[in-house]
Amino acid sequence: MDSDDLCNYRPISNLSLISKIIERVVKSRLTSHLTSNNLLNPHQSACCKHQSTETALLYIHDHLIDAIGSQQVSCLCLLDLSAAFDHNILLSRLSSWFGIHGNVLDWFISYLSSRSFRVSCAGSMSSSHTSFCGVPQGSVLGPLLFIMYTTPLSTLISSNSLNHHLYADDTQLFLPFRPPDFHSSINRLQDILQQISSWMTASLLTLNSWSQTAIC
């Protein structure tokens, strides 16, 4: 990447120790709530105990091999999105999708509200700006909140009977079909991709242009 292009840099927030300790406690209790109530996305490998990028790769590999064994080909789409999620949408999903209410929801409102930041570079400091989306890069809660934010995406994809798996903001779609059904299957996949794009737009997320498609 071009080192002179500031868009190629991802700043890491310098958060206080007390903030990280509090976030770690909240994450532990939130994870326990999600696990005990079966609210974790089964198609998501990020932030899940005993799962990793290797889990995601093996999941896709097994499905592709099964398709080959059934004399099918597979269309594999690799989607990448920009992850600056909206605070109001996140709070709504915490309540409606994950049953977080009362004092706990109030804590998350406080956690997300009135966050300001400044950028330090080469000894110079920018003016302060208020953040209305996302969470600090490098925060303890950030990754878990993001996969909760994108959980409805899995529901949308599953409703179209399309195989998929996610790792954080990377989404893999794979559609097995027999060669004579190539055109109808590709048209179906394009329709689903349009639905995904519309969902991302409504969720104030951006589908990056370097998403890729391959026939296996």
Side-chain angles (χ1 to χ4, degrees), residues 188-200:
R188 177 190 167 206
L189 184 59
Q190 289 176 334
D191 290 340
I192 297 172
L193 287 173
Q194 183 58 52
Q195 294 181 43
I196 292 174
S197 178
S198 298
W199 179 89
M200 289 186 176

Side-chain angles (χ1 to χ4, degrees), residues 83-88 90 111-113 115 131-137 139 142 145-146 149 204-205:
F85 50 85
D86 180 77
H87 291 170
N88 291 328
L90 172 62
Y111 172 76
L112 295 169
S113 301
R115 277 194 173 271
S131 175
F132 297 101
C133 60
V135 292
Q137 186 73 23
S139 65
L145 290 178
F146 178 73
Y149 188 90
L204 303 183
L205 297 170

Side-chain angles (χ1 to χ4, degrees), residues 96-124:
S96 60
W97 282 78
F98 301 101
I100 296 174
H101 306 285
N103 291 336
V104 180
L105 185 62
D106 288 341
W107 184 91
F108 279 104
I109 293 174
S110 175
Y111 172 76
L112 295 169
S113 301
S114 302
R115 277 194 173 271
S116 60
F117 67 93
R118 295 188 296 174
V119 178
S120 175
C121 181
S124 299

